[in-house]
């Protein structure tokens, strides 16, 4: 099970940290990531992380967002800084079914993952 939290409303330039509490599996043992979606648009892979800690980012968030994992808490995080209005979306964490590492296909794996959380809304105002 994946449960997200930490969303909210912030002004442009602000920061938020999303959390994704995992249960029933070990988050550090599998490819995981975050994707976002807005009504009428396709899902966008935002960030991914391999079991070995290798991280991946969409160009649109590179340098502003950071994905991390607390193995002791079995929790995935997404630190979002310098937020922009175009970052407004529902954010979901997701896990691959069996791959330990996401690799170069991380974005496709994250957006099509069979297991995801319920999502948390992020709204950035200008």
């Amino acid at each position: 099970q994946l449960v997200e939290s930490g969303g909210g409303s912030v002004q442009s330039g602000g920061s938020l940290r999303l959390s994704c509490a995992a249960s029933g599996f070990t988050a550090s043992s599998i490819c995981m990531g975050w994707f976002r979606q807005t009504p009428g648009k396709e899902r966008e892979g935002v960030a991914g992380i391999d079991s070995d800690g290798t991280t991946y980012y969409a160009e649109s968030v590179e340098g502003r967002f950071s994905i991390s994992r607390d193995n002791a808490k079995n929790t995935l995080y997404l630190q979002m800084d310098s937020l922009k209005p175009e970052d407004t979306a529902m954010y979901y964490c997701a896990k691959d079914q069996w791959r330990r590492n996401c690799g170069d296909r991380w974005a496709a794996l994250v957006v099509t993952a069979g297991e995801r959380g319920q999502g948390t809304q992020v709204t950035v105002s200008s």
Side-chain angles (χ1 to χ4, degrees):
Q1 185 180 14
L2 300 169
V3 179
E4 300 99 335
S5 62
S9 297
V10 296
Q11 290 191 328
S12 182
S15 299
L16 284 172
R17 188 176 79 155
L18 306 184
S19 300
C20 174
S23 60
F25 71 100
T26 302
S28 61
S29 68
I30 206 156
C31 160
M32 294 189 67
W34 294 88
F35 70 89
R36 63 189 180 187
Q37 189 166 26
T38 55
K41 293 186 178 181
E42 293 186 355
R43 294 178 180 180
E44 178 189 14
V46 174
I49 185 167
D50 289 347
S51 61
D52 65 4
T54 301
T55 57
Y56 309 89
Y57 297 95
E59 286 188 12
S60 59
V61 306
E62 183 82 50
R64 301 188 297 121
F65 290 12
S66 178
I67 187 171
S68 63
R69 190 175 57 212
D70 185 327
N71 295 338
K73 295 182 179 180
N74 210 34
T75 298
L76 185 72
Y77 299 100
L78 184 68
Q79 177 66 42
M80 305 186 295
D81 298 321
S82 301
L83 282 162
K84 304 175 181 180
E86 50 264 43
D87 295 319
T88 295
M90 185 72 82
Y91 284 73
Y92 300 86
C93 71
K95 65 177 284 288
D96 191 71
Q97 294 291 349
W98 56 271
R99 294 172 181 85
R100 291 183 59 82
N101 296 319
C102 311
D104 292 340
R105 294 181 60 242
W106 71 270
L109 293 175
V110 169
V111 301
T112 61
E115 186 171 349
R116 61 176 175 85
Q118 82 288 353
T120 185
Q121 178 68 37
V122 172
T123 302
V124 185
S125 58
S126 58

